[in-house]
Amino acid sequence: MTFPVLTIRSGDQEDDDRLFPDLAAPTSGRVTALSPLDGKPAPFVATGVTVTRIVEGTHHKVLALSDVRIDVDVTDCRVVLGCQKYDKGGGWTGFGAGAVFALAANGVSKAMAANRRRGKVLVGHVRYAWLGKVGGSPKQGWLDTEQLRLIVHETAQDGGAMVMLTLSLPKSMNSLAISQDVVRRAATWRLSNDLSVDQEERLSLEQLQHAQPLSAQPKSFSLYTMPTSFRVSAGTAVGPVGQAPGAQGREVLDVSPGGGTGEPEERITS
């Protein structure tokens, strides 16, 4: 099963926010639920999202959605997003194989769309253990769009693909500034929660804690690169992750309903 980054959740689903965020209480004024581990979030609104899997150099578009409101929070442990009216109009491509739900393509009636999304929200997050790269592509012309990109990697069991989450931003937003905030928080999280960090990696992460703004690249993305990252899994969703250098092999217990088998942590070098 592939990892689509985004899925659809409803309020009556069991709480397990390791791979996908929970929904906030209806009276909270929020879309996705946050926890104390999220610290002080920096919220913003995106207007579109694309998810792309790259397998052996070939790009496979999983989802493309535009002209919508996506509530995003950059927190101390992840970048989390939620979209309530995900099927309201333009740009819908739909999920590819491996998604939890299959949604209709363009052309479905508004009545059917409203019924389908009642009580359901498109949600997703990138946890900092998984983050391999983050960066932005600033708007540089009338036809350009400000974009923020986050990159993770699936486990071999899920297909081993590189997965890109690309958010379209309003013209007033600064994607390079947001990516700077993300990489600083991600580096801080890794230093506090990754047991496998050695001295060389620690130095790299300490530099990223104080990362300077990236220079804009014409019609391209400027990206920060984490020295290492963990492939996406429930076992690497929350800290601590990894194992201390020289320690015996460590497995993460799968505590999801029906779970109980060990889930090895897969760590990759960027």
Side-chain angles (χ1 to χ4, degrees):
M1 179 176 177
T2 61
F3 178 66
V5 183
L6 303 176
T7 192
I8 298 168
R9 301 199 84 164
S10 60
D12 57 0
Q13 289 181 283
E14 294 186 20
D15 293 339
D16 182 354
D17 69 348
R18 291 175 298 170
L19 292 178
F20 301 103
D22 284 332
L23 301 188
T27 58
S28 68
R30 293 188 47 81
V31 178
T32 53
L34 298 181
S35 77
L37 296 177
D38 287 298
K40 297 181 179 179
F44 65 92
V45 174
T47 58
V49 61
T50 301
V51 177
T52 306
R53 298 179 72 247
I54 303 176
V55 182
E56 296 181 349
T58 302
H59 289 57
H60 304 274
K61 185 177 291 186
V62 178
L63 170 73
L65 189 61
S66 61
D67 300 322
V68 293
R69 177 188 173 95
I70 303 171
D71 292 282
V72 187
D73 289 281
V74 177
T75 84
D76 288 348
C77 63
R78 56 182 173 164
V79 177
V80 57
L81 59 96
C83 179
Q84 291 178 304
K85 298 181 180 180
Y86 53 83
D87 199 10
K88 73 168 192 175
W92 179 256
T93 297
F95 284 109
V100 178
F101 290 87
L103 300 179
N106 294 326
V108 69
S109 71
K110 291 183 179 180
M112 291 177 63
N115 181 63
R116 180 168 57 254
R117 67 171 181 263
R118 186 175 296 121
K120 296 180 179 179
V121 181
L122 183 68
V123 298
H125 59 203
V126 172
R127 292 192 174 274
Y128 292 151
W130 309 335
L131 183 67
K133 297 177 185 289
V134 60
S137 178
K139 177 180 174 63
Q140 297 182 337
W142 287 105
L143 300 179
D144 292 336
T145 302
E146 191 86 18
Q147 292 182 304
L148 177 73
R149 177 167 290 173
L150 300 98
I151 297 176
V152 301
H153 291 81
E154 297 174 340
T155 62
Q157 182 178 358
D158 286 339
M162 176 190 294
V163 185
M164 298 191 305
L165 173 71
T166 305
L167 292 169
S168 299
L169 309 180
K171 61 182 180 181
S172 59
M173 301 297 297
N174 185 332
S175 61
L176 295 181
I178 295 173
S179 63
Q180 181 186 28
D181 184 27
V182 172
V183 79
R184 286 180 170 185
R185 293 186 192 231
T188 299
W189 188 93
R190 289 286 301 280
L191 286 167
S192 300
N193 293 276
D194 186 351
L195 304 178
S196 59
V197 171
D198 59 22
Q199 184 60 30
E200 181 179 357
E201 186 175 359
R202 178 170 295 277
L203 292 174
S204 297
L205 290 171
E206 287 174 347
Q207 291 178 342
L208 289 174
Q209 273 188 300
H210 307 283
Q212 297 302 304
L214 294 171
S215 300
Q217 302 296 323
K219 299 187 181 300
S220 182
F221 280 85
S222 300
L223 296 167
Y224 296 100
T225 300
M226 302 295 288
T228 61
S229 61
F230 290 86
R231 295 183 184 274
V232 177
S233 71
T236 57
V238 295
V241 296
Q243 62 184 53
Q248 296 296 315
R250 175 174 176 267
E251 287 187 333
V252 177
L253 183 64
D254 182 359
V255 295
S256 60
T261 58
E263 181 178 280
E265 296 178 337
E266 294 189 61
R267 188 168 181 266
I268 59 175
T269 301
S270 298

